[in-house]
Amino acid sequence: MKQVRLTAKTGKGKSRLGMSGDVWNIVPGAVEAITPPPIDSLLIRSLDGRDWRWVQVKDDVNFIVELL
């Protein structure tokens, strides 16, 4: 499964990483299921499966996104 590593840029990002960790799984097929597909976005889920969110691969407000 493809994964991303998130680095917090804001307090909200730091809080989210404190709860769910910095490595997240990419949800396959999520972007393709939306019409029109969001440009440069990924749906990700925490490793424990309890948390999910959309992130911008470039220029996300709360995170620096690194593809693993």
Side-chain angles (χ1 to χ4, degrees):
M1 178 168 282
K2 293 185 178 183
Q3 296 181 323
V4 295
R5 180 180 314 277
L6 303 177
T7 303
K9 291 168 49 175
T10 64
K12 183 177 179 179
K14 289 177 186 177
S15 176
R16 181 63 62 105
L17 295 184
M19 292 186 306
S20 300
D22 65 338
V23 176
W24 294 53
N25 293 322
I26 297 172
V27 177
V31 173
E32 293 82 6
I34 299 174
T35 304
I39 298 171
D40 202 29
S41 295
L42 292 174
L43 181 62
I44 58 174
R45 183 174 292 270
S46 61
L47 294 181
D48 65 8
R50 296 183 192 176
D51 200 4
W52 64 273
R53 67 178 290 116
W54 285 95
V55 293
Q56 298 291 319
V57 176
K58 297 178 183 175
D59 300 324
D60 190 83
V61 174
N62 297 303
F63 302 102
I64 297 169
V65 179
E66 174 189 358
L67 299 174
L68 300 178

